[in-house]
Amino acid sequence: FSATFQGWVSVLAEVMKSQRIMDSSHAARALANLDRETVHEKYPDGVYLLHPQCRSSQPIKADVLFVHGLLGAAFKTWRQQDIEQSADEKELDVEDEYSECWPKTWLASDFPMLRIISVEYDTHLSDWKAKCPVESYRESIAYRSSELLRKLRAAGIGDRPLIWMSHSMGGLLVKKMLLDASKDPEMDSIVNNTQGIVFYSVPHHGSRLAEYSVNVRFLLFPSVEVKELSKDSPALKALNDDFLSFAKDKKFPVLSFAETLPTRVGRMLSLHVVPMESAGLISLAIFKKELV
């Protein structure tokens, strides 16, 4: 057994040197889960350790957690697709056509004392090709929150200062996770150690993509997650109102970014997925009213 174990460790250590981030990150997660001497956390499926991926004597001072959004991924979301591609290559979504994953390269280089984690979960625009429609409840923000919280706690999230980095629907998931964690004694350390939250183009008040998808449902058959992003959704409003009050009470530092250029979605759509008025925790309409 020992010889076989050492053999796998050698293979994984070699794969971890790969320039392909998906290969190296899968290997790093496997090695971390095998290392019971220096690594006490466990990295479940969908939780990837981007840094540090090797044993180090330098103590970890804080965690930075990246949560992607609709149609995103643990690595692809945090890269720039900056190389010219043919139509066929775009359809294949070839990994080599992307630039480096900046949390793993730039951030880790500037702040080596951080532990950097990126999570991944499946999302869909449409249920047209759903593998198991009966389990559509698994696509809801509430279910994802419960599932991800369990995985993140196993990975030691909440044991040290934490900063959340979220994009698109990932920001809604972060809000839901923090609210849920505040109600669970086993999870409240995640709330107590949260030092800041960054929202990149998060549809706090709904997305035009959802509005468009519902209007042409005969084309797209919008998925559960898309329906949850509908503008003026009661559930979305309740989530935002609850979180806004909660964040003020906890005095969380929050930084929000909004998109100013349209995004191409598939072959037919080019739009502002999250309009400016939806990208802030407080809607522009309410903000203007308060100013008056």
Side-chain angles (χ1 to χ4, degrees), residues 210-228:
E211 183 180 319
Y212 183 92
S213 299
V214 171
N215 288 338
V216 291
R217 60 169 58 89
F218 61 92
L219 281 178
L220 294 179
F221 291 91
S223 61
V224 171
E225 51 260 65
V226 168
K227 291 175 184 175
E228 285 189 323

Side-chain angles (χ1 to χ4, degrees), residues 8-144:
W8 275 113
V9 168
S10 299
V11 170
L12 290 168
E14 194 61 33
V15 175
M16 201 172 68
K17 299 175 185 176
S18 171
Q19 294 300 309
R20 296 178 64 85
I21 188 169
M22 288 185 69
D23 295 345
S24 62
S25 294
H26 279 291
R29 181 167 68 89
L31 281 173
N33 285 335
L34 288 171
D35 187 354
R36 296 295 88 190
E37 293 181 17
T38 60
V39 179
H40 303 293
E41 302 87 1
K42 181 180 179 182
Y43 297 94
D45 183 42
V47 179
Y48 295 95
L49 179 64
L50 300 185
H51 176 81
Q53 293 188 338
C54 299
R55 288 185 177 183
S56 173
S57 58
Q58 184 173 38
I60 300 299
K61 295 185 177 180
D63 289 335
V64 180
L65 180 62
F66 288 82
V67 186
H68 69 79
L70 192 62
L71 299 185
F75 315 117
K76 183 177 70 174
T77 291
W78 313 106
R79 296 185 292 175
Q80 180 184 9
Q81 193 173 355
D82 54 2
I83 300 174
E84 290 297 323
Q85 294 174 285
S86 67
D88 290 338
E89 286 175 328
K90 286 181 179 178
E91 286 295 319
L92 291 173
D93 197 22
V94 181
E95 181 188 2
D96 292 339
E97 302 303 327
Y98 288 83
S99 58
E100 290 185 287
C101 178
W102 64 264
K104 185 176 185 293
T105 53
W106 308 342
L107 187 60
S109 176
D110 289 344
F111 301 98
M113 75 294 295
L114 296 177
R115 183 177 65 150
I116 304 171
I117 291 176
S118 187
V119 301
E120 181 158 322
Y121 55 95
D122 291 334
T123 61
H124 309 277
L125 282 180
S126 168
D127 279 340
W128 178 258
K129 295 182 179 179
K131 294 179 180 178
C132 188
V134 177
E135 295 189 350
S136 59
Y137 71 91
R138 291 176 177 269
E139 299 174 352
S140 70
I141 290 175
Y143 181 87
R144 293 188 197 279

Side-chain angles (χ1 to χ4, degrees), residues 123-290:
T123 61
H124 309 277
L125 282 180
S126 168
D127 279 340
W128 178 258
K129 295 182 179 179
K131 294 179 180 178
C132 188
V134 177
E135 295 189 350
S136 59
Y137 71 91
R138 291 176 177 269
E139 299 174 352
S140 70
I141 290 175
Y143 181 87
R144 293 188 197 279
S145 171
S146 174
E147 186 179 44
L148 262 181
L149 273 176
R150 176 178 52 79
K151 291 182 177 182
L152 292 175
R153 195 67 195 97
I157 293 295
D159 291 345
R160 56 176 69 90
L162 170 65
I163 296 175
W164 301 80
M165 306 286 286
S166 63
H167 175 248
S168 180
M169 190 183 84
L172 305 180
L173 187 52
V174 167
K175 293 194 295 184
K176 180 62 174 169
M177 283 193 287
L178 283 169
L179 286 169
D180 288 348
S182 70
K183 303 169 186 174
D184 185 343
E186 294 184 3
M187 299 287 179
D188 62 1
S189 62
I190 293 178
V191 175
N192 296 333
N193 272 310
T194 291
Q195 302 299 309
I197 309 164
V198 179
F199 293 121
Y200 283 104
S201 194
V202 173
H204 299 287
H205 310 282
S207 168
R208 286 175 180 166
L209 179 62
E211 183 180 319
Y212 183 92
S213 299
V214 171
N215 288 338
V216 291
R217 60 169 58 89
F218 61 92
L219 281 178
L220 294 179
F221 291 91
S223 61
V224 171
E225 51 260 65
V226 168
K227 291 175 184 175
E228 285 189 323
L229 299 183
S230 296
K231 190 177 179 182
D232 300 323
S233 158
L236 212 57
K237 184 180 185 306
L239 173 62
N240 195 63
D241 289 347
D242 290 346
F243 181 78
L244 193 57
S245 174
F246 174 67
K248 285 181 178 178
D249 180 60
K250 293 295 182 180
K251 295 182 172 59
F252 289 148
V254 174
L255 181 61
S256 297
F257 292 88
E259 58 192 78
T260 57
L261 296 175
T263 300
R264 190 161 191 80
V265 181
R267 295 180 176 180
M268 298 184 296
L269 284 177
S270 183
L271 75 166
H272 287 83
V273 178
V274 181
M276 186 77 73
E277 60 269 21
S278 187
L281 282 170
I282 302 177
S283 70
L284 288 180
I286 295 175
F287 181 67
K288 290 176 181 177
K289 184 177 180 181
E290 288 182 349

